[in-house]
Amino acid sequence: MKELPVSPLKVGIVGAGEIASSVHLPILTRRSDLFEVVAIADLNIDAAHAVADRFNVEGRYSSTQEMIDSATLDMVAVLNSGSHASHVIMALNAGLDVFCEKPLAYSQAEINAIEIALQSSGKKLMVGYMKTFDPAVNMAQTNIKGS
């Protein structure tokens, strides 16, 4: 059976910091067959502009809600520093799939609110940790197991 071409997912990025610019955006932009980063939101709009310029992203916003309301998105990657819960909930409530860097939440109340948004949205939520396959982490695990 012949595979049909798949349109790249339109991705909005929350957070224009080190994790976004050094880990996730290089990977997402390298896989342009799967992902099209169309927007970046950061409270520091100058940081959003700088990262957007570097990765050739058109949409630049000073809030997650503004990005969700203004950009045409399929999913959101929550990569900001600090709490992620409110951004995850906003995206789920807007009917978007979400990838969230750790930590997903800081409290049971945040987890409960995320669970409600996830169940009512019918969308997907994935939590990741960009160090999972880091060579230094793998070496540390090997050394710990060997001691």
Side-chain angles (χ1 to χ4, degrees), residues 80-106:
N80 63 299
S81 60
S83 179
H84 294 150
S86 64
H87 305 284
V88 169
I89 292 166
M90 263 186 256
L92 290 170
N93 286 341
L96 300 169
D97 291 315
V98 179
F99 170 85
C100 180
E101 260 293 345
K102 62 85 182 155
L104 177 60
Y106 289 142

mmCIF file of all heavy atoms in Angstrom, residues 80-106:
data_model
loop_
_atom_site.group_PDB
_atom_site.id
_atom_site.type_symbol
_atom_site.label_atom_id
_atom_site.label_comp_id
_atom_site.label_asym_id
_atom_site.label_seq_id
_atom_site.Cartn_x
_atom_site.Cartn_y
_atom_site.Cartn_z
ATOM 1 N N ASN A 80 9.496 26.401 28.470
ATOM 2 C CA ASN A 80 9.878 27.550 29.290
ATOM 3 C C ASN A 80 10.443 27.122 30.635
ATOM 4 O O ASN A 80 10.288 25.975 31.055
ATOM 5 C CB ASN A 80 8.661 28.453 29.516
ATOM 6 C CG ASN A 80 7.566 27.746 30.290
ATOM 7 O OD1 ASN A 80 7.046 26.734 29.826
ATOM 8 N ND2 ASN A 80 7.217 28.258 31.444
ATOM 9 N N SER A 81 11.092 28.049 31.300
ATOM 10 C CA SER A 81 11.524 27.779 32.673
ATOM 11 C C SER A 81 10.333 28.003 33.604
ATOM 12 O O SER A 81 9.358 28.641 33.234
ATOM 13 C CB SER A 81 12.693 28.683 33.063
ATOM 14 O OG SER A 81 12.301 30.035 32.977
ATOM 15 N N GLY A 82 10.414 27.452 34.786
ATOM 16 C CA GLY A 82 9.332 27.629 35.747
ATOM 17 C C GLY A 82 8.204 26.638 35.529
ATOM 18 O O GLY A 82 8.379 25.607 34.880
ATOM 19 N N SER A 83 7.056 26.976 36.049
ATOM 20 C CA SER A 83 5.906 26.082 35.980
ATOM 21 C C SER A 83 5.408 25.922 34.547
ATOM 22 O O SER A 83 5.355 26.880 33.775
ATOM 23 C CB SER A 83 4.774 26.620 36.847
ATOM 24 O OG SER A 83 3.650 25.768 36.756
ATOM 25 N N HIS A 84 5.033 24.712 34.207
ATOM 26 C CA HIS A 84 4.526 24.419 32.875
ATOM 27 C C HIS A 84 3.018 24.212 32.853
ATOM 28 O O HIS A 84 2.404 24.233 31.793
ATOM 29 C CB HIS A 84 5.200 23.150 32.326
ATOM 30 C CG HIS A 84 6.655 23.313 32.092
ATOM 31 N ND1 HIS A 84 7.538 22.270 32.205
ATOM 32 C CD2 HIS A 84 7.403 24.393 31.766
ATOM 33 C CE1 HIS A 84 8.763 22.700 31.946
ATOM 34 N NE2 HIS A 84 8.704 23.980 31.687
ATOM 35 N N ALA A 85 2.428 23.993 34.006
ATOM 36 C CA ALA A 85 1.028 23.571 34.083
ATOM 37 C C ALA A 85 0.072 24.513 33.354
ATOM 38 O O ALA A 85 -0.757 24.062 32.566
ATOM 39 C CB ALA A 85 0.597 23.406 35.535
ATOM 40 N N SER A 86 0.173 25.802 33.585
ATOM 41 C CA SER A 86 -0.795 26.729 32.974
ATOM 42 C C SER A 86 -0.686 26.718 31.446
ATOM 43 O O SER A 86 -1.699 26.792 30.752
ATOM 44 C CB SER A 86 -0.614 28.146 33.513
ATOM 45 O OG SER A 86 0.644 28.663 33.150
ATOM 46 N N HIS A 87 0.533 26.592 30.925
ATOM 47 C CA HIS A 87 0.729 26.560 29.470
ATOM 48 C C HIS A 87 0.159 25.267 28.878
ATOM 49 O O HIS A 87 -0.459 25.279 27.817
ATOM 50 C CB HIS A 87 2.209 26.687 29.131
ATOM 51 C CG HIS A 87 2.849 27.894 29.735
ATOM 52 N ND1 HIS A 87 2.662 29.171 29.246
ATOM 53 C CD2 HIS A 87 3.664 28.023 30.809
ATOM 54 C CE1 HIS A 87 3.341 30.028 29.986
ATOM 55 N NE2 HIS A 87 3.952 29.351 30.939
ATOM 56 N N VAL A 88 0.388 24.154 29.574
ATOM 57 C CA VAL A 88 -0.130 22.863 29.125
ATOM 58 C C VAL A 88 -1.657 22.904 29.100
ATOM 59 O O VAL A 88 -2.283 22.499 28.117
ATOM 60 C CB VAL A 88 0.379 21.723 30.036
ATOM 61 C CG1 VAL A 88 -0.358 20.423 29.750
ATOM 62 C CG2 VAL A 88 1.889 21.545 29.869
ATOM 63 N N ILE A 89 -2.246 23.414 30.156
ATOM 64 C CA ILE A 89 -3.708 23.491 30.251
ATOM 65 C C ILE A 89 -4.273 24.401 29.158
ATOM 66 O O ILE A 89 -5.264 24.057 28.501
ATOM 67 C CB ILE A 89 -4.135 23.952 31.656
ATOM 68 C CG1 ILE A 89 -3.800 22.851 32.682
ATOM 69 C CG2 ILE A 89 -5.616 24.328 31.699
ATOM 70 C CD1 ILE A 89 -3.868 23.300 34.128
ATOM 71 N N MET A 90 -3.641 25.558 28.930
ATOM 72 C CA MET A 90 -4.095 26.470 27.869
ATOM 73 C C MET A 90 -4.117 25.767 26.522
ATOM 74 O O MET A 90 -5.074 25.888 25.753
ATOM 75 C CB MET A 90 -3.146 27.667 27.762
ATOM 76 C CG MET A 90 -3.573 28.903 28.475
ATOM 77 S SD MET A 90 -2.412 30.241 28.081
ATOM 78 C CE MET A 90 -1.487 30.268 29.614
ATOM 79 N N ALA A 91 -3.017 25.064 26.219
ATOM 80 C CA ALA A 91 -2.912 24.396 24.921
ATOM 81 C C ALA A 91 -3.935 23.276 24.786
ATOM 82 O O ALA A 91 -4.596 23.151 23.750
ATOM 83 C CB ALA A 91 -1.493 23.870 24.714
ATOM 84 N N LEU A 92 -4.073 22.459 25.817
ATOM 85 C CA LEU A 92 -5.062 21.375 25.770
ATOM 86 C C LEU A 92 -6.471 21.936 25.613
ATOM 87 O O LEU A 92 -7.255 21.425 24.809
ATOM 88 C CB LEU A 92 -4.969 20.500 27.024
ATOM 89 C CG LEU A 92 -3.729 19.624 27.141
ATOM 90 C CD1 LEU A 92 -3.645 19.008 28.532
ATOM 91 C CD2 LEU A 92 -3.706 18.546 26.061
ATOM 92 N N ASN A 93 -6.786 22.983 26.365
ATOM 93 C CA ASN A 93 -8.112 23.594 26.278
ATOM 94 C C ASN A 93 -8.373 24.210 24.908
ATOM 95 O O ASN A 93 -9.529 24.367 24.506
ATOM 96 C CB ASN A 93 -8.309 24.635 27.375
ATOM 97 C CG ASN A 93 -8.524 24.003 28.735
ATOM 98 O OD1 ASN A 93 -8.871 22.828 28.848
ATOM 99 N ND2 ASN A 93 -8.293 24.772 29.783
ATOM 100 N N ALA A 94 -7.297 24.537 24.186
ATOM 101 C CA ALA A 94 -7.437 25.076 22.826
ATOM 102 C C ALA A 94 -7.500 23.962 21.782
ATOM 103 O O ALA A 94 -7.562 24.233 20.589
ATOM 104 C CB ALA A 94 -6.271 26.016 22.522
ATOM 105 N N GLY A 95 -7.480 22.703 22.241
ATOM 106 C CA GLY A 95 -7.586 21.583 21.319
ATOM 107 C C GLY A 95 -6.279 21.223 20.632
ATOM 108 O O GLY A 95 -6.285 20.714 19.512
ATOM 109 N N LEU A 96 -5.154 21.479 21.318
ATOM 110 C CA LEU A 96 -3.844 21.202 20.740
ATOM 111 C C LEU A 96 -3.154 20.058 21.474
ATOM 112 O O LEU A 96 -3.298 19.924 22.688
ATOM 113 C CB LEU A 96 -2.957 22.453 20.825
ATOM 114 C CG LEU A 96 -3.496 23.683 20.102
ATOM 115 C CD1 LEU A 96 -2.684 24.912 20.471
ATOM 116 C CD2 LEU A 96 -3.493 23.454 18.603
ATOM 117 N N ASP A 97 -2.407 19.255 20.731
ATOM 118 C CA ASP A 97 -1.533 18.268 21.353
ATOM 119 C C ASP A 97 -0.371 19.013 21.999
ATOM 120 O O ASP A 97 -0.013 20.123 21.567
ATOM 121 C CB ASP A 97 -0.994 17.285 20.311
ATOM 122 C CG ASP A 97 -2.085 16.376 19.756
ATOM 123 O OD1 ASP A 97 -2.889 15.859 20.550
ATOM 124 O OD2 ASP A 97 -2.130 16.186 18.523
ATOM 125 N N VAL A 98 0.227 18.400 23.038
ATOM 126 C CA VAL A 98 1.266 19.080 23.804
ATOM 127 C C VAL A 98 2.444 18.161 24.065
ATOM 128 O O VAL A 98 2.273 17.010 24.477
ATOM 129 C CB VAL A 98 0.722 19.578 25.170
ATOM 130 C CG1 VAL A 98 1.812 20.262 25.984
ATOM 131 C CG2 VAL A 98 -0.471 20.506 24.982
ATOM 132 N N PHE A 99 3.641 18.687 23.826
ATOM 133 C CA PHE A 99 4.878 18.091 24.325
ATOM 134 C C PHE A 99 5.355 19.029 25.418
ATOM 135 O O PHE A 99 5.427 20.245 25.216
ATOM 136 C CB PHE A 99 5.953 18.002 23.233
ATOM 137 C CG PHE A 99 7.296 17.616 23.793
ATOM 138 C CD1 PHE A 99 7.618 16.288 23.977
ATOM 139 C CD2 PHE A 99 8.212 18.586 24.165
ATOM 140 C CE1 PHE A 99 8.837 15.923 24.528
ATOM 141 C CE2 PHE A 99 9.430 18.235 24.707
ATOM 142 C CZ PHE A 99 9.751 16.896 24.889
ATOM 143 N N CYS A 100 5.683 18.486 26.585
ATOM 144 C CA CYS A 100 6.119 19.305 27.711
ATOM 145 C C CYS A 100 7.432 18.774 28.256
ATOM 146 O O CYS A 100 7.534 17.597 28.600
ATOM 147 C CB CYS A 100 5.052 19.293 28.801
ATOM 148 S SG CYS A 100 5.482 20.292 30.245
ATOM 149 N N GLU A 101 8.424 19.647 28.352
ATOM 150 C CA GLU A 101 9.660 19.287 29.044
ATOM 151 C C GLU A 101 9.332 19.139 30.522
ATOM 152 O O GLU A 101 8.393 19.733 31.025
ATOM 153 C CB GLU A 101 10.703 20.407 28.868
ATOM 154 C CG GLU A 101 11.738 20.149 27.821
ATOM 155 C CD GLU A 101 12.701 19.004 28.111
ATOM 156 O OE1 GLU A 101 12.803 18.526 29.259
ATOM 157 O OE2 GLU A 101 13.348 18.566 27.164
ATOM 158 N N LYS A 102 10.130 18.368 31.208
ATOM 159 C CA LYS A 102 9.939 18.219 32.652
ATOM 160 C C LYS A 102 10.232 19.552 33.332
ATOM 161 O O LYS A 102 10.985 20.357 32.784
ATOM 162 C CB LYS A 102 10.794 17.081 33.204
ATOM 163 C CG LYS A 102 12.314 17.273 33.052
ATOM 164 C CD LYS A 102 12.883 18.071 34.174
ATOM 165 C CE LYS A 102 14.347 18.308 33.997
ATOM 166 N NZ LYS A 102 14.833 19.455 34.661
ATOM 167 N N PRO A 103 9.673 19.842 34.455
ATOM 168 C CA PRO A 103 8.615 19.094 35.127
ATOM 169 C C PRO A 103 7.253 19.468 34.561
ATOM 170 O O PRO A 103 7.027 20.605 34.166
ATOM 171 C CB PRO A 103 8.733 19.568 36.574
ATOM 172 C CG PRO A 103 9.186 20.991 36.462
ATOM 173 C CD PRO A 103 10.093 21.017 35.251
ATOM 174 N N LEU A 104 6.373 18.505 34.509
ATOM 175 C CA LEU A 104 5.017 18.770 34.042
ATOM 176 C C LEU A 104 4.299 19.699 35.015
ATOM 177 O O LEU A 104 3.598 20.616 34.605
ATOM 178 C CB LEU A 104 4.244 17.458 33.896
ATOM 179 C CG LEU A 104 2.789 17.564 33.488
ATOM 180 C CD1 LEU A 104 2.645 18.256 32.130
ATOM 181 C CD2 LEU A 104 2.146 16.189 33.454
ATOM 182 N N ALA A 105 4.479 19.454 36.306
ATOM 183 C CA ALA A 105 3.768 20.233 37.322
ATOM 184 C C ALA A 105 4.559 20.221 38.618
ATOM 185 O O ALA A 105 5.443 19.387 38.816
ATOM 186 C CB ALA A 105 2.383 19.650 37.548
ATOM 187 N N TYR A 106 4.204 21.148 39.503
ATOM 188 C CA TYR A 106 4.860 21.248 40.804
ATOM 189 C C TYR A 106 3.984 20.769 41.953
ATOM 190 O O TYR A 106 4.450 20.678 43.080
ATOM 191 C CB TYR A 106 5.269 22.688 41.082
ATOM 192 C CG TYR A 106 6.426 23.189 40.240
ATOM 193 C CD1 TYR A 106 6.428 24.491 39.761
ATOM 194 C CD2 TYR A 106 7.510 22.383 39.944
ATOM 195 C CE1 TYR A 106 7.489 24.968 39.001
ATOM 196 C CE2 TYR A 106 8.573 22.846 39.183
ATOM 197 C CZ TYR A 106 8.557 24.143 38.723
ATOM 198 O OH TYR A 106 9.603 24.611 37.977
#
